[in-house]
Amino acid sequence: MASYGSRAMGRQMGWLRHVLTVLSVIIFLLGCIVIGYMAWVLATSVTVSRFLEGSMFWTYAVITLGFSLFFSGLVGWVGGASESPCLVRLFLMFIVLSMLAEIGGIISLNIFDKGFGDILEHGWKEVNQGTRNLVQKHLTCCGWEGLTDFANNNEPIDDSCYEKVTPSVSGIISRVDEETNPGTTRRMKQSPCMVNLQGWFEENKITWVTILATVAAIQVMCVGISIYILQRVSKLRKIRNTRTVSKRKLYDSSSEGSDDHKYMHRI
């Protein structure tokens, strides 16, 4: 009986439940990537006291986004695979809340007059040194505002801030290591990452805008498919309940007819 009920529920949801499951898995994996990255950032840069101060708005926003994607994808995955209308409703609620939060975040940025450069600057200040080193290495830059970031502090400067040059090139030279690199000199990169990072996003606008649009489209598709599945299940249940009531009435009427026939036969 249980296996029959499961097959009946699967027929009620239709083949779109498989599409919903695949989309939910994609959302779940995106959430895992975001949570994994932020866990690495927090474990290698931020102390607990600083995290609890309440001033790391970029970090809080990214963590919230990651967990919303993680839990909504997990619920949708289980709901589609187990053919549970209750979990599909919960998944729909999570997705709608996530979309409302994303829209609210965009509106808030416009209200507080925060541009894309401000977001990048907050992110640069809150990410770990490993992320900064990757940016400095691949975008050929050093520091958010350039060399002035290291003028008034004694923090160690990573090797990603240096570039190899010939001894004849002028610049700020750090040291000459004749043993490992004979005939070469290193100097600090002059370009600030603020300019190079914004330029990279501008050059690759088509790529990252397409990625964001794809994620938004997946969420919209999940909302539409969830609503369609729930309406389909509700409609089929109403039809099944109507048929059950009709059969009961027919059985009751046939029972009453047989009783009347027996009574007349006795007379």
Side-chain angles (χ1 to χ4, degrees):
M1 291 297 293
S3 60
Y4 175 78
S6 177
R7 290 195 298 269
M9 186 61 67
R11 289 195 298 269
Q12 286 183 3
M13 288 191 174
W15 61 272
L16 281 177
R17 69 184 180 87
H18 300 293
V19 179
L20 182 65
T21 303
V22 173
L23 295 179
S24 300
V25 170
I26 295 175
I27 294 175
F28 172 78
L29 293 177
L30 289 175
C32 289
I33 293 173
V34 174
I35 293 174
Y37 170 72
M38 291 308 300
W40 173 59
V41 169
L42 294 176
T44 55
S45 65
V46 181
T47 60
V48 177
S49 59
R50 184 187 172 193
F51 181 76
L52 297 177
E53 284 179 357
S55 59
M56 304 179 63
F57 300 108
W58 185 87
T59 301
Y60 303 146
V62 176
I63 291 176
T64 302
L65 175 63
F67 275 105
S68 65
L69 293 175
F70 175 83
F71 284 114
S72 59
L74 181 61
V75 172
W77 182 2
V78 176
S82 63
E83 304 160 359
S84 171
C86 181
L87 291 179
V88 173
R89 291 191 190 94
L90 185 60
F91 170 68
L92 177 61
M93 182 186 70
F94 275 144
I95 288 293
V96 171
L97 290 177
S98 298
M99 295 177 65
L100 291 177
E102 293 165 5
I103 296 173
I106 296 174
I107 295 175
S108 299
L109 291 175
N110 291 327
I111 292 176
F112 291 104
D113 196 20
K114 295 292 183 180
F116 190 69
D118 298 323
I119 299 174
L120 291 179
E121 184 177 0
H122 282 289
W124 180 270
K125 292 178 180 179
E126 297 181 18
V127 296
N128 58 351
Q129 189 61 43
T131 302
R132 296 175 188 171
N133 294 341
L134 290 174
V135 175
Q136 292 173 159
K137 179 180 178 180
H138 293 285
L139 297 184
T140 316
C141 60
C142 182
W144 179 250
E145 297 181 352
L147 303 182
T148 57
D149 289 2
F150 309 97
N152 299 320
N153 59 63
N154 296 322
E155 295 180 1
I157 302 176
D158 189 78
D159 289 340
S160 60
C161 260
Y162 295 98
E163 60 183 347
K164 294 180 180 180
V165 296
T166 58
S168 59
V169 177
S170 61
I172 302 175
I173 300 175
S174 62
R175 69 173 183 269
V176 180
D177 193 351
E178 294 291 345
E179 297 180 358
T180 57
N181 299 303
T184 61
T185 305
R186 295 201 312 168
R187 70 171 181 180
M188 292 186 69
K189 299 173 182 176
Q190 307 297 304
S191 301
C193 291
M194 172 178 59
V195 177
N196 290 14
L197 191 58
Q198 291 182 3
W200 183 88
F201 274 102
E202 190 67 27
E203 293 174 359
N204 298 273
K205 182 183 292 185
I206 296 178
T207 302
W208 62 267
V209 168
T210 302
I211 294 174
L212 294 179
T214 302
V215 175
I218 290 175
Q219 290 180 321
V220 173
M221 289 175 61
C222 288
V223 170
I225 293 174
S226 300
I227 293 175
Y228 174 79
I229 288 177
L230 293 175
Q231 288 181 344
R232 176 185 173 89
V233 171
S234 177
K235 186 183 298 183
L236 291 177
R237 281 181 175 177
K238 288 181 180 179
I239 295 174
R240 186 175 60 184
N241 292 336
T242 303
R243 290 178 178 177
T244 302
V245 172
S246 300
K247 289 180 179 179
R248 287 178 179 175
K249 290 182 178 179
L250 180 62
Y251 176 77
D252 293 340
S253 61
S254 61
S255 298
E256 291 177 358
S258 61
D259 292 341
D260 293 340
H261 179 71
K262 290 180 180 179
Y263 177 75
M264 292 298 294
H265 182 70
R266 290 176 182 179
I267 294 176

